Amino acid sequence: MIPQRYPLKLLFTGAVILTTIVLAVVISSRAVTSAQGGASDWQTIAAERGLTDADMRAAAMTYTPSGVMDEYVMFASAGQGGQVLAIGMPSMRLLRLIAVFTPESWQGYGYGAGHEVLEQGFIDGQEILWGDSHHPALSETNGEYDGNWLFIGDKANGRVAVIDLRDFETKQIVHNPAFLNDHGGTFVTPNTEYIVEGGQYGLPLGGEYAPISDYESAYSGMITFWRFNSEIGRIDYDQSFAMELPPYWQDLCDAGKGISEGWVFCNSFNTEMATGGIESGNPPFEAGASRGAVDYLHIINLDAAEEVFLNGGAVDINGFNVIPLETVIANNLLYLAPEPRSPHGADVTPGGEFVVVGGKLDPHVSIYSFQRIQDAIAAGPTETDVFGIPVLSFESVLEAQVEVGLGPLHTVFDNQGYAYTSLFLDSAVARWSIGAEGYRPQDGWTLINRTPVQYNVGHLAAAEGDTASPDGRYLVALNKWSVDRFLSTGPLLPQNLQLIDISQPGDFTQVLYDMPITGAEPHYAQIIRADKLHAWEVYPEVGWNPLTQSVDPNAVTQGTEGVTRDGNNVTVRMTAVRSHMTPEHIEIQEGDHVTWTITNVERARDATHGLAIPFYNINLSIEPGESITFEFDAIRPGVFSFYCTEFCSALHLEMMGYMMVQPR
Ligand code: K7E
Ligand code: CUA
């Protein structure tokens, strides 16, 4: 026993010494911190930088120390860049760009991998390698974001993409072959049964030709209901259908929820059916489409439309199920209600009781009551439009109007019974109270305050704002123009996302932070609580195929690498691990067809490797566990130094190899 006490004692002494050293280091570093960071010190810094108390409050509300996580993630579209951005809140740190409609070399999307997804978005064989992404929508369960899927529409080409939030990657792109643009989407029904994609500019259905002089008879509007299978995370093309609408240029839409679940609401802004032609002396679109006193809110009975579709009421247009307008009218699937001129938003309140519409050329928001709409429908509409669609009178469906300011566009909601409407022309955000039971009946329908923003605000996004129970706290103004907010980097300026504190009741609101977005215009965003997201840290198993979200039978394991030949077909099987790729010599012949699989066998978080092959336009990003297979023809002889594009280790530069293509 005695001999053993020595080592124990030594160990103990060692531990004491170690603890003392650690404590000394901690104490001395704290001493340094306090000498340089005492209370007077930050006040001095603030004074020297000219920061006011309000600035310091904003800093305290947004500053997020290194290693501390954000409370929310905002998914913002990236406009004509075709992608989606994930931004942490309240820090406003850009966390991730998600490649969707546009190739993205950093993610190896479209440069050897990702083609399967991009190709789904080609139309009639035409390569389309960009998109105009407008409105992202998070999947919902019982009207709450569930953190599983994200959807986004492409306004330019009328497409919808599905993103898997386990790895933040695009899995599917669909296109309704009956139409060629969209705007009123994406948004989802409260249990993500449908992803709704509203159209925008009237077109002849099915991509047909028709002269513009036949606009009224030959052009149509469209809304598409994509059936989503949340088990497999894919849109079910055959169970999806569309409705033909009048060519009124439907704009933004929203899905009913709560008492209005099963209904969909879209505004429209060209009920005049203006056809433009300024060059021939006609009123330009901007004038022609604003001539009338009102436009039409479209009130769509989705439950009834689904029934009509399931009972065979759709016709086939280019292989897609479309309910024709006559059938829509005959089955009472669509009602119209007047709305103030040139509207640009139709937003359903959290409980589903009201639809808020902002008319760009009217200083009011108009609030429609779902109950009044139902009563008016039951009473039997007495008017129709030129196509015979029933029109409910404005007075019969209007609950209230609130004068908010110039150019009201979009409205979002918080947890205090307030609504927020963006004022494009006034460059401000109006906070107003919803004067109904469950909101702020004590305040009535009133404007509370206006927060100036810089400048020309489009959409607003609120924390959990499109759910049945918004969180409040934070609002983001997505401003189109930044003008003088940032250092000049030339004539092309960023958009300005401004974080606004909406946590206090009454007229206190504060702009907290300006974030320049240097990609393209984020039209809309949705903000989800970070603890609802459960993204993988690494792929679950080595050899993972992110398209199938399972182990790829073709994946390469260590020890089985090599190059094999069958006639002109060469198969390369490669693994990647810090800091080498195996094999390192790929000897092939000019004219060979090469099928190359590379598996990243790492299990360490962030141990991503790249694979770049010069001339052959190949660049992959192979995340830990991922396996990728790509193909090319060895059309050019020579020696090609392939290498890893991620600085993965101290010997990263050595992580390379030679592909030698012998001339025939
Ligand atoms: Cu107003 Cu596409 Cu929603 Cu832009 S849209 S702002
Ligand atoms: Cu792997 Cu650098």
Side-chain angles (χ1 to χ4, degrees), residues 158 160 174-179 181-182 184 187 194-199 222-227 240-245 302 320-322:
V160 166
V174 292
H175 168 65
N176 172 353
F179 218 63
N181 65 63
D182 72 27
F187 59 95
Y194 289 100
I195 304 155
V196 186
E197 179 194 20
M222 174 133 295
I223 185 166
T224 307
F225 301 101
W226 293 105
R227 181 85 204 182
S240 303
F241 67 97
M243 263 174 76
E244 184 188 358
L245 298 176
L302 172 55
F320 202 77
N321 307 306
V322 179

Side-chain angles (χ1 to χ4, degrees), residues 340 357-366 401-405 408:
V357 169
K360 286 173 295 194
L361 303 180
D362 181 288
H364 299 88
V365 284
S366 300
Q401 283 192 307
V402 180
E403 186 167 345
V404 287

Side-chain angles (χ1 to χ4, degrees), residues 134-135 155 183 252 344 409-410 458-459 480 521 523-524:
H134 273 238
H135 305 103
K155 169 170 168 164
H183 189 245
L252 235 57
H344 186 54
L409 298 186
H410 301 288
H459 273 276
K480 311 287 186 198
E521 180 176 351
H523 287 263
Y524 190 46

